[in-house]
Every structure is written in C-alpha cells, then in structure tokens.
C-alpha cells in the first residue's frame, strides 16, 4: 500500500497488487543492474528504490 500527498496537501492511499518472481529492494546502480539482468532472462522483476533508479542519490 502506498501513501502520497497531492498538490493540495491532501493525503491519499492507494493499493497496488503485483506478482513477481524477484523483488529487488535497494538503491543504486548494482540493484538496477541486478533487476535489469534478471528481467533480460525472462524473470518478472519488481525494483523498489526510494530515490532515483540507477543512482545512489535519494
């Protein structure tokens, strides 16, 4: 479940259901490469990154 604030400042909650073979929870280029490599082999991948995908910046 994810929570986010709209531009008006109101909080909203939504639910996202995903099916995956591999769940990568990390940040940075190594996590992005691991997810990319698994997906290239036909595996269903979900990459969770709190910052910018493929960087070490939050």
């Amino acid at each position: 479940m994810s929570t986010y604030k709209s531009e008006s400042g109101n909080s909203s909650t939504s639910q996202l259901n995903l099916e995956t073979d591999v769940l990568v929870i990390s940040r940075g280029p190594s996590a992005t490469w691991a997810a990319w490599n698994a997906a290239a082999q036909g595996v269903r991948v979900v990459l969770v990154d709190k910052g910018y995908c493929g960087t070490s910046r939050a």
Side-chain angles (χ1 to χ4, degrees):
M1 188 173 304
S2 60
T3 303
Y4 59 91
K5 285 193 175 182
S6 66
E7 291 180 13
S8 64
N10 296 332
S11 291
S12 178
T13 303
S14 64
Q15 185 171 348
L16 178 64
N17 294 316
L18 301 172
E19 290 187 22
T20 187
D21 298 315
V22 175
L23 174 62
V24 179
I25 303 175
S26 188
R27 56 188 286 192
S30 297
T32 304
W33 178 250
W36 179 280
N37 193 28
Q41 296 178 35
V43 176
R44 296 177 300 172
V45 179
V46 172
L47 171 62
V48 179
D49 190 331
K50 75 172 191 169
Y52 299 98
C53 182
T55 69
S56 54
R57 297 184 309 174

